[in-house]
Amino acid sequence: MSKIKDILSILEEMAPLAYAEDFDNVGLLVGDQNNEATGVLVCHDALESIIDEAIAKKCNLVVCFHPILFSGLKKITGKDYVERSIIKAIKNDIAIYAVHTALDNHQNGVNKIFCDALGLINTKVLVPKENFIRKLVTYTIAENAEKVRKALFDAGAGNIGNYEDCSFNSKGIGTFMGNENSNPQLGERFEFVQTEEIKIEVTFEKHLENKILKALFQNHAYEEVAYEIYDLKNQHQNIGLGMIGELKEPMKEKDFLLFVKEKMQSKGIRHSNFIGKEVKKIAVLGGAGSFAIKNAIQAGADVYLTADLKYHEFYQAENRLLLADIGHFESERYTKNYIVEYLRKKILNFAVILSEENSNPVKYL
């Protein structure tokens, strides 16, 4: 049998919690991770009806896209849909785990799923994540340099775009003198030592810092490890919100929106003025994406597909692209299918079930 925490580790491999936006509430929201897992139910929203479904199907872990707990609760009395869901989950010992923007920001997550549903090619992140890359600089003797580099690479350092094991190495002269409490690898206490050293520089994603430093300390030859860590302004090209890609063949604007309506099973699409040109370059952002209209324009998109656009936001198209609101749920429709497929490849000893509930609160006449 597996414990719930074993499944959580798999979920964090799929969508690292460090990728989530600061405002979000992701991860384990309810439940004891040390309980034995009986089954996983995957859904879009962990509503009370979903908890009922989990009970009926003997699943004690509900994996949802949207966090049912988003802002703080001061009382849990069952007065609204959130509190009723939480109460039922606790009473029935059911854990709830949310992925939300941790999966939004992943290069294979929500927006890649959106692009794949439309058959887009040459995809890349629309709004790359900022303030997420750090740089480690350390110094060691030449005999130890390869061991240190390999340990840092194995811990996740040195990944840049489509390349792995990236580092910069330079030679220099290091000096030191140990005091009475030292145990130097080179020289003796109170001896001034000059030695040729290799300076190693690698970048890494900031959530890996503890793992990177552990690898450094365990594999470095010196008693006292000299190192520096810097925050970089570089954007992370493979992590971020939204995505932009291309149609294999251009389409007329109206034909394209009808194609989107069919593929995403949208009941209705609100859009800005047609510009009167064929479209090929498409930007997408699942969920509420008005904040990225400028990014879509700057990226040269012909169409920007998102949701939750307000009246005045359609003016921002300014005849530079076609803005289309296809519906919040619809833009994220296939996310739960992706989660189920991912977990089923990793978990073989009990059921991973796709919820039958349609939790879309928006209805159409």
Side-chain angles (χ1 to χ4, degrees):
M1 292 289 288
S2 299
K3 292 186 180 292
I4 286 175
K5 66 181 178 182
D6 298 324
I7 303 168
L8 303 191
S9 297
I10 296 171
L11 287 165
E12 289 190 34
E13 289 174 6
M14 179 191 73
L17 298 182
Y19 287 10
E21 296 297 305
D22 293 339
F23 64 79
D24 206 3
N25 189 31
V26 294
L28 186 63
L29 306 182
V30 174
D32 185 349
Q33 65 175 353
N34 292 309
N35 286 345
E36 295 289 340
T38 61
V40 182
L41 181 68
V42 180
C43 65
H44 205 82
D45 303 277
L47 306 175
E48 190 176 5
S49 58
I50 297 291
I51 305 302
D52 287 332
E53 185 182 3
I55 295 167
K57 295 177 178 175
K58 296 181 170 51
C59 297
N60 67 343
L61 173 60
V62 170
V63 177
C64 53
F65 178 65
H66 290 136
I68 187 70
L69 281 174
F70 195 77
S71 53
L73 295 178
K74 293 186 177 180
K75 297 178 182 179
I76 304 179
T77 60
K79 71 177 184 299
D80 60 25
Y81 76 98
V82 173
E83 295 183 11
R84 288 192 295 273
S85 180
I86 298 305
I87 289 171
K88 182 163 284 190
I90 292 172
K91 277 185 176 181
N92 290 277
D93 212 9
I94 292 173
I96 301 175
Y97 184 98
V99 295
H100 206 210
T101 58
L103 193 56
D104 273 316
N105 276 311
H106 197 285
Q107 63 177 334
N108 293 320
V110 175
N111 296 294
K112 183 61 164 62
I113 298 164
F114 196 166
C115 287
D116 288 347
L118 300 177
L120 302 185
I121 58 175
N122 303 324
T123 57
K124 62 180 182 179
V125 172
L126 179 64
V127 189
K129 199 165 182 63
E130 298 181 339
N131 303 315
F132 199 72
I133 303 174
R134 289 180 179 167
K135 181 179 181 180
L136 168 71
V137 179
T138 190
Y139 312 81
T140 189
I141 52 177
E143 298 87 339
N144 182 227
E146 184 176 350
K147 182 180 180 182
V148 169
R149 273 195 303 270
K150 185 177 185 307
L152 294 175
F153 294 155
D154 289 345
N159 294 325
I160 302 176
N162 296 320
Y163 294 85
E164 299 177 356
D165 297 355
C166 303
S167 69
F168 185 80
N169 304 267
S170 53
K171 292 181 180 180
I173 301 297
T175 67
F176 56 85
M177 182 172 67
N179 62 23
E180 68 274 10
N181 297 316
S182 67
N183 184 25
Q185 177 76 17
L186 299 176
E188 304 292 335
R189 295 172 185 169
F190 304 111
E191 178 186 358
F192 180 75
V193 176
Q194 296 186 77
T195 185
E196 186 175 273
E197 291 185 327
I198 304 296
K199 179 182 181 182
I200 302 171
E201 303 177 59
V202 291
T203 59
F204 60 93
E205 295 175 4
K206 68 178 183 180
H207 66 286
L208 297 175
E209 182 169 321
N210 289 339
K211 188 177 180 182
I212 298 290
L213 290 179
K214 183 178 179 181
L216 175 65
F217 297 150
Q218 288 180 344
N219 292 276
H220 202 288
Y222 288 174
E223 179 185 20
E224 294 288 349
V225 181
Y227 71 96
E228 304 148 23
I229 291 179
Y230 303 96
D231 287 320
L232 301 182
K233 294 294 185 182
N234 306 50
Q235 295 178 328
H236 197 307
Q237 59 183 302
N238 288 333
I239 300 174
L241 295 169
M243 195 156 278
I244 187 162
E246 297 176 346
L247 291 167
K248 292 179 181 178
E249 297 293 337
M251 298 178 68
K252 292 182 178 180
E253 294 166 304
K254 184 175 180 180
D255 291 341
F256 175 68
L257 291 188
L258 290 173
F259 167 76
V260 171
K261 186 176 181 181
E262 177 190 355
K263 289 292 183 180
M264 305 307 291
Q265 299 176 45
S266 178
K267 299 294 184 182
I269 295 180
R270 299 185 303 136
H271 62 86
S272 61
N273 287 330
F274 288 134
I275 301 172
K277 68 172 185 177
E278 288 190 325
V279 298
K280 184 173 177 65
K281 199 169 187 180
I282 313 300
V284 307
L285 197 153
S290 62
F291 65 90
I293 294 172
K294 290 182 179 179
N295 299 83
I297 292 173
Q298 289 169 358
D302 300 313
V303 181
Y304 179 40
L305 304 175
T306 188
D308 300 347
L309 295 178
K310 296 179 181 178
Y311 173 87
H312 67 276
E313 288 165 345
F314 285 96
Y315 285 123
Q316 294 180 35
E318 297 199 58
N319 290 321
R320 298 178 66 183
L321 84 174
L322 175 63
L323 277 178
D325 183 334
I326 73 166
H328 193 121
F329 178 88
E330 289 80 4
S331 67
E332 301 165 342
R333 172 179 295 281
Y334 300 113
T335 302
K336 61 182 181 179
N337 304 69
Y338 172 85
I339 297 171
V340 167
E341 291 170 8
Y342 187 95
L343 292 179
R344 283 177 177 169
K345 291 176 183 176
K346 302 281 186 176
I347 301 171
L348 304 175
N349 57 340
F350 57 84
V352 177
I353 299 171
L354 179 65
S355 172
E356 297 174 3
E357 291 281 325
N358 182 339
S359 60
N360 188 0
V362 181
K363 309 300 177 187
Y364 300 86
L365 283 174

